[in-house]
Amino acid sequence: MKTTGNTIFFTGGTSGIGLELARRFRDLGNTVIISGRRKDLLDQLAATDQLEGVLLDVADPDSIATAFADVTARHDVNVLITMAGIMQSENLQDPAHLATSEAIVDINLLGTIRTITTFLPYLQQQADPVVMTVSSGLAFVPLALTPTYNATKAAVHSYTQSLRLQLAGTNLQVIELVPPAVQTNLLDGAAPDPTWMPLDEFADETITLLQQHPDAEEILVDRVHFLRAAERENHYAEVVTALNAGH
Ligand SMILES: NC(=O)c1ccc[n+]([C@@H]2O[C@H](COP(=O)([O-])OP(=O)(O)OC[C@H]3O[C@@H](n4cnc5c(N)ncnc54)[C@H](OP(=O)(O)O)[C@@H]3O)[C@@H](O)[C@H]2O)c1
């Protein structure tokens, strides 16, 4: 994808990776619209960061339809980034985890599918259309603490591949952003671990990769390679052990 002159709609973007990338894209000369459930943050970011925001809950199909109609009435969106996601720890031996599981599938997987389904026919009429999904290094190696999260990200990875295959030969580019552990409040809404990748560094490297590889299918910063390549390079068991040590 080109990194300037786009009109980019993010699901999510009120915090963390989405917000940081939204700021970078805005500074590179793109029109950026963020979204999310936290209206207070959307209002604040419109004032402090001049980022246009739209209220959206990807767990609610009506909310997606309303946001789509609203955004596309005002903008010619050519890039959709499905950033919205939640990550919660679960104890699979406690049946109470099921409600958590269902919420994670609803937002991370069904939310991604619903949003892409809503935007796809419209995007295909635009110039330089792009769908960027957001999986995770945990799509490739499981963190035992977050079983359903890992599973939804593996599913997003697979869905993204099928989308790319079905759209081969069309002008729509499908990109998968595969972050490593990055310092945000994603996991249970808690403070990040300082050993995770600093958000600024992640955003810098991501933008650089997009600039250097406009035809990229996957955006993989250095710190995620050990997870993405674990199985292919026959380190899978060691990487599973190392990733889960201390949890
Ligand atoms: N941080 C990491 O280590 C890491 C690693 C790999 C992948 N990722 C992925 O990166 C994405 C962003 O996560 P983050 O780390 O930046 O965490 P974050 O700061 O918690 O951001 C999550 C974003 O998703 C939005 N969101 C959550 N549920 C939503 C819903 N139902 N409808 C609409 N928006 C919703 C949130 O907005 P509201 O709360 O305002 O709705 C927020 O803007 C996620 O998909 C995550 O899985 C993160």
Side-chain angles (χ1 to χ4, degrees):
M1 67 178 275
K2 56 190 169 115
T3 50
T4 189
N6 299 293
T7 300
I8 304 174
F9 177 68
F10 281 80
T11 67
T14 48
S15 60
I17 293 173
L19 177 56
E20 202 52 39
L21 289 179
R23 289 175 169 143
R24 306 291 164 118
F25 279 123
R26 178 205 57 198
D27 293 348
L28 284 167
N30 298 281
T31 299
V32 177
I33 305 108
I34 59 169
S35 65
R37 299 160 300 176
R38 288 174 287 180
K39 184 168 185 330
D40 52 335
L41 282 182
L42 292 169
D43 291 345
Q44 185 188 314
L45 289 164
T48 58
D49 283 70
Q50 290 74 52
L51 281 170
E52 185 177 333
V54 173
L55 205 56
L56 171 68
D57 181 352
V58 297
D60 174 1
D62 291 342
S63 173
I64 297 174
T66 303
F68 170 74
D70 178 18
V71 170
T72 57
R74 285 179 292 112
H75 296 284
D76 283 332
V77 175
N78 72 303
V79 179
L80 168 67
I81 303 183
T82 55
M83 183 64 65
I86 60 170
M87 180 181 198
Q88 287 168 8
S89 50
E90 297 166 86
N91 174 2
L92 299 185
Q93 299 189 72
D94 175 358
H97 86 89
L98 184 59
T100 302
S101 255
E102 289 178 347
I104 298 170
V105 172
D106 204 12
I107 292 173
N108 294 8
L109 179 57
L110 290 174
T112 297
I113 293 173
R114 287 182 191 113
T115 310
I116 292 173
T117 303
T118 302
F119 275 78
L120 193 59
Y122 165 87
L123 286 172
Q124 289 186 290
Q125 304 305 313
Q126 303 296 110
D128 302 323
V130 175
V131 172
M132 184 187 293
T133 60
V134 182
S135 66
S136 165
L138 301 182
F140 304 96
V141 178
L143 180 67
L145 186 68
T146 57
T148 306
Y149 177 83
N150 310 331
T152 59
K153 293 299 182 175
V156 166
H157 168 66
S158 179
Y159 189 83
T160 304
Q161 289 189 310
S162 302
L163 180 66
R164 187 179 299 116
L165 288 167
Q166 287 203 8
L167 293 175
T170 76
N171 66 339
L172 192 141
Q173 185 182 0
V174 179
I175 306 174
E176 179 180 345
L177 177 65
V178 188
V182 176
Q183 292 181 32
T184 72
N185 303 118
L186 179 70
L187 176 56
D188 294 331
D193 186 318
T195 65
W196 297 347
M197 187 170 189
L199 182 55
D200 257 10
E201 281 178 27
F202 174 73
D204 284 344
E205 197 176 334
T206 297
I207 295 291
T208 300
L209 287 169
L210 286 168
Q211 288 170 330
Q212 289 174 341
H213 306 283
D215 297 326
E217 295 189 346
E218 295 182 5
I219 296 297
L220 300 159
V221 298
D222 270 354
R223 285 186 52 162
V224 83
H225 277 283
F226 79 108
L227 297 170
R228 178 69 181 93
E231 191 147 31
R232 187 195 311 147
E233 294 177 357
N234 294 319
H235 307 310
Y236 191 74
E238 298 106 278
V239 175
V240 171
T241 303
L243 183 74
N244 287 284
H247 285 288

